[in-house]
Every structure is written in C-alpha cells, then in structure tokens.
Amino acid sequence: MNTKTAKLNKTVLLGITGGIAAYKMSELIRMYKKQRFNVKVIATPNAFNFVTELTLATLSDNKVYSDNFDIKEYSPEHISLADEGDILVIAPASANTISKIADGICDNLLTSVTCAFNKPIIIAPAMNTNMWENKFIQANLKKLKSNGFNVLEPESGFLACGTEGKGRLCSLEKILDKTVEILEHNQPLKDKKIVITAGGTIEKLDPVRYISNFSSGKMGTALADNAYMMGAEVELISTFDIERPYKVTKVLSAEDMLTAVEGSKKNSDCVIMSAAVADYRAENYAEQKMKKTNDDKITISFVKNPDILKTISENKDGVKIVGFCAESENLLDNAKTKIKTKGCDYIIANDISRKDIGFSSDENEVYIIDRDLKTKHLKKAAKDKIAKQILEYIFGE
Ligand code: C5P
C-alpha cells in the first residue's frame, strides 16, 4: 500500500449493504479516519444484521444514515448527503444493490443517494461465486463500469458460505488507495502554491485608534478555502483572525501586508490580492493616545501607502498576479485601465454600487479581465462558487 496522507476536508460517504463483509467496514472507517477524512455511513437496513449502528457511529464519529424516517424532523437526506460527499464508496456492494443502482431504482436511502450523486463512485462487490458469475449481475456491473463507476473486482479465496472462488471483497487497502487516488485526481491545483490576501488593512493612528474600511474578507477567504480544496498549498494573508487547516498570516497595515506578500511570493505560483488595502496611512503614528483638545477641529495628515499589487507586478518572476478592482461607476473601462497601470495578469472587477453583491454580501458577480483585455463574466452567485470559478478560469487558461 502506498497511501499518502490525504488532505482533510473531504467527506467519504460509505454505503454498506447487507453482506457478511460488512463487518470489515469498521476497519475501513478507521483507515479513512486516519487519513483525516470525514466519514458518513449510509447503511441499508440489511447491513445492520452484520454490523451494529453503534459501532459504525462510534468509529465514524457521525450519525449513521439509514431508512429511519423521523417524520417530525424529515429532511430530504438523500439530497443533502449527495451534496456533502466528495466520493461515494459502496462496500460491500451486494448483487441486489448493484442491480438496483444499474436500473435507477431508489427504494432505500443508499440507492436514492447513489441516484442523486454526481461525483465519483467506487463499488466494491462481495458475494457468493455463483451470484458473481450470474450473467445479469455481470451485465449490470458492465453497465455501471461503462457509466463511470469505479468497480473494484472481488478476489478469489475462501468465502463465508464455505466455498472457494471469486467473490471475496477486495482488500481494504485497495479501497483506501482508490479513494485517495480519485480524491487527489480531483485536485487540479495539487502542485500549486497560492498566496491570497483578504480583509481591509488597519492603519493605526495611535495605540487605540485606527482607520480601516468595511471589507469583510469573505471573497479572499472563499478563494483561499477553494484553492485549498482544489489541492493547492495556500497561505492566506488576512487582517482577520481565522482558524483554517492551511497557513494564515495575520497582518494589520498595508506596510505589514507588503512585507508578508513579498516574502511569500518568492516560492509561489500565484498571488491574489483581494484585500482592500488602504491607500493612505497617518503620516505620524502617535505613540501615546491622542488627547481631546479644546479645538473643534483636528487635522491628521495622511501619506500614501505602498501599492502592493503594483509593486509585486513590477518583478513577477513567473508568478501569476491577480488584482481586484471595486468600482462604483464605469466598471469595465476602469478595470481595463487598472490592469495596465497595475501591471498584473488578471483583474477581477466588481460593481460596489450594487447593494446585492460585493463587500459584506455573501454573493458576488464579477468580470475577469486578462492582459489582452479578454473579459469573462461570472454571473451572480455565492462568493464560494465565484471563488471556484475564478480559480478554474485563471488556472485553466
Ligand atoms: O487602486 P485600487 O485600490 O483600486 O486597486 C485595487 C487592487 O489593488 C486590489 O487588488 C488591492 O488588493 C490592490 N491594492 C494594493 N495596494 C494598495 C491598494 C490596492 O495592492 N495600496
């Protein structure tokens, strides 16, 4: 077995059907958990004849899903589970479940989830040799294989029914390795290192006061989360304290952010500047708290902050540089001018005059502009979805 530690944040839906090999799933769950996968078991009612719900729930550290409809709290679990899982692994897959799936039958939670699942599926059959050789079962397996299901053939050996032959569940290592292989294959940014900035910079006036802006950091954080889930090594340079499974570097001012970005840019493939960097900072930071005076007016003098995006675009060193452009008028014209003045490779433009998108909203609608001024419109959607589309676009070109 050559399984390497996979990235967390992946949910494996483990479908268990009613065959004697179901007892082995306790061990498979432990192996998945060692890889830091989140495991959610979906058991057919017959599976509980071979392994207890309590064992599965304890080992997976999750509720076990089956056909117990609690009317008071009914929710369409087959849809939410199908959305939640990154992969569905059915092991052991009985002849009965294989045939139902091949015919699109949805008569229990597992077959319903399978029908609604549009991500990778592994099927690990286990059954008596005669059942395995049955031509209808073989035809159904062929149907699944030709529709993209990953079938892990059973092995030959001593079977629980007392006979020798093909039908024994393949090794658990094989199931684990295939799971990791498929999940990693779905990580298009696996070899990339991406630095992303988020949040509004904080420019101190004195030990207790600062100027900043209303940036929520949501877009930058969504970009970092998605880049991580797509397999990239991520550093989020943020003005907010957040806990993430990837590196988060907290900064306050534009000057701190410039130092952090320049340091991390060296070994990276891409820098995405989604932070709202203050254009100015107080010329003189007051070491002591500024006192209220008798004057009705005070004057604070501001000096220009470094333009991080422009500075790092002067020496790209092969690093893809992406900037953001928040405009309240003439969005596309201003964005096209900005990509030239900043010198970056892409500008993501959004219209901040609209209340329904941008800043603290959970949604966004953007245009991605490249150096040839080719423009790609991403329709209004959740920031999370927009983030994924931005990454797919700039790394897919
Ligand atoms: O010039 P403007 O603020 O419109 O440019 C926005 C883009 O430039 C964003 O990507 C922002 O992160 C970046 N920026 C910067 N340094 C500044 C101001 C903005 O890197 N001082």
Side-chain angles (χ1 to χ4, degrees):
M1 164 170 131
N2 62 359
T3 310
K4 33 183 189 154
T5 301
K7 297 216 166 188
L8 68 166
N9 247 345
K10 295 284 178 192
T11 295
V12 177
L13 301 182
L14 177 60
I16 306 180
T17 73
I20 179 65
Y23 84 92
K24 297 182 182 173
M25 293 307 104
S26 314
E27 186 55 29
L28 183 63
I29 294 169
R30 279 164 50 83
M31 290 158 80
Y32 280 144
K33 295 296 283 183
K34 271 194 201 148
Q35 300 293 320
R36 307 183 72 195
F37 290 135
N38 177 29
V39 181
K40 291 203 161 181
V41 172
I42 307 166
T44 63
N46 279 330
F48 295 129
N49 292 322
F50 301 95
V51 61
T52 73
E53 183 177 353
L54 185 61
T55 306
L56 299 170
T58 307
L59 293 174
S60 67
D61 202 15
N62 267 319
K63 166 185 167 186
V64 171
Y65 296 82
S66 191
D67 291 84
N68 310 319
F69 285 85
D70 180 342
I71 300 300
K72 274 178 255 139
E73 277 186 41
Y74 177 71
S75 66
E77 273 174 344
H78 59 292
I79 301 302
S80 55
L81 281 168
D83 282 346
E84 229 179 296
D86 294 292
I87 190 166
L88 170 62
V89 180
I90 306 183
S94 63
N96 180 42
T97 294
I98 288 170
S99 300
K100 286 195 280 193
I101 294 169
D103 268 342
I105 293 172
C106 309
D107 64 343
N108 61 33
L109 185 61
L110 178 58
T111 49
S112 305
V113 169
T114 310
C115 191
F117 200 75
N118 58 9
K119 285 161 273 184
I121 302 181
I122 294 176
I123 300 272
M127 63 197 74
N128 157 275
T129 309
N130 289 345
M131 291 172 85
W132 172 253
E133 287 171 354
N134 178 291
K135 62 180 185 207
F136 299 116
I137 301 300
Q138 284 302 320
N140 287 337
L141 276 164
K142 203 167 158 196
K143 205 164 154 188
L144 293 186
K145 279 186 204 163
S146 62
N147 281 285
F149 286 61
N150 299 275
V151 176
L152 296 177
E153 297 265 323
E155 291 170 1
S156 294
F158 180 72
L159 302 180
C161 52
T163 57
E164 287 265 336
K166 195 166 177 180
R168 198 170 69 177
L169 183 76
C170 70
S171 73
L172 301 183
E173 284 77 13
K174 226 181 211 170
I175 302 176
L176 177 65
D177 280 351
K178 191 73 189 169
T179 310
V180 172
E181 182 195 313
I182 292 172
L183 288 175
E184 292 212 328
H185 182 74
N186 278 356
Q187 297 200 310
L189 304 183
K190 194 160 61 139
D191 303 316
K192 305 276 184 242
K193 179 164 180 220
I194 306 182
V195 177
I196 297 164
T197 65
T201 61
I202 292 180
E203 311 296 334
K204 288 186 179 175
L205 304 176
D206 69 13
V208 294
R209 303 183 182 93
Y210 62 83
I211 60 159
S212 188
N213 57 65
F214 290 112
S215 170
S216 63
K218 283 182 184 169
M219 195 64 232
T221 308
L223 280 161
D225 287 349
N226 276 276
Y228 178 76
M229 273 188 285
M230 290 161 87
E233 185 186 335
V234 174
E235 180 180 355
L236 176 67
I237 299 177
S238 171
T239 58
F240 293 101
D241 265 323
I242 51 167
E243 283 235 352
R244 283 295 190 274
Y246 48 78
K247 184 174 178 188
V248 179
T249 303
K250 165 109 191 263
V251 294
L252 291 179
S253 68
E255 287 179 303
D256 291 348
M257 189 174 274
L258 174 64
T259 309
V261 170
E262 282 190 319
S264 299
K265 179 192 150 208
K266 289 188 198 99
N267 310 310
S268 70
D269 298 283
C270 177
V271 176
I272 306 180
M273 283 294 309
S274 56
V277 184
D279 290 324
Y280 295 91
R281 68 178 182 281
E283 185 172 19
N284 297 306
Y285 170 74
E287 295 289 344
Q288 304 303 328
K289 185 181 169 195
M290 288 188 274
K291 294 270 179 281
K292 188 160 46 178
T293 66
N294 290 330
D295 297 340
D296 288 338
K297 220 160 93 174
I298 60 161
T299 304
I300 297 173
S301 160
F302 288 94
V303 290
K304 230 184 188 149
N305 261 333
D307 189 318
I308 305 171
L309 183 60
K310 200 169 171 191
T311 310
I312 59 169
S313 296
E314 277 160 13
N315 271 314
K316 290 206 191 80
D317 302 323
V319 180
K320 233 181 246 247
I321 311 275
V322 184
F324 270 72
C325 163
E327 297 288 338
S328 54
E329 54 181 358
N330 302 327
L331 179 65
L332 288 178
D333 286 346
N334 286 333
K336 285 175 183 169
T337 307
K338 194 157 289 185
I339 193 167
K340 297 232 160 75
T341 51
K342 300 273 189 176
C344 53
D345 298 299
Y346 294 93
I347 276 281
I348 319 282
N350 67 320
D351 181 349
I352 52 162
S353 70
R354 281 175 54 184
K355 291 270 172 295
D356 58 331
I357 54 171
F359 263 30
S360 53
S361 161
D362 286 326
E363 295 193 307
N364 210 348
E365 175 175 340
V366 303
Y367 294 84
I368 308 175
I369 299 163
D370 69 12
R371 292 195 64 76
D372 299 327
L373 305 185
K374 193 167 87 180
T375 304
K376 168 88 180 159
H377 178 213
L378 300 183
K379 280 193 281 186
K380 184 174 153 184
K383 280 185 173 165
D384 196 51
K385 194 165 171 199
I386 293 283
K388 185 159 186 272
Q389 289 174 327
I390 290 173
L391 293 164
E392 280 167 353
Y393 186 80
I394 61 181
F395 285 99
E397 285 238 289

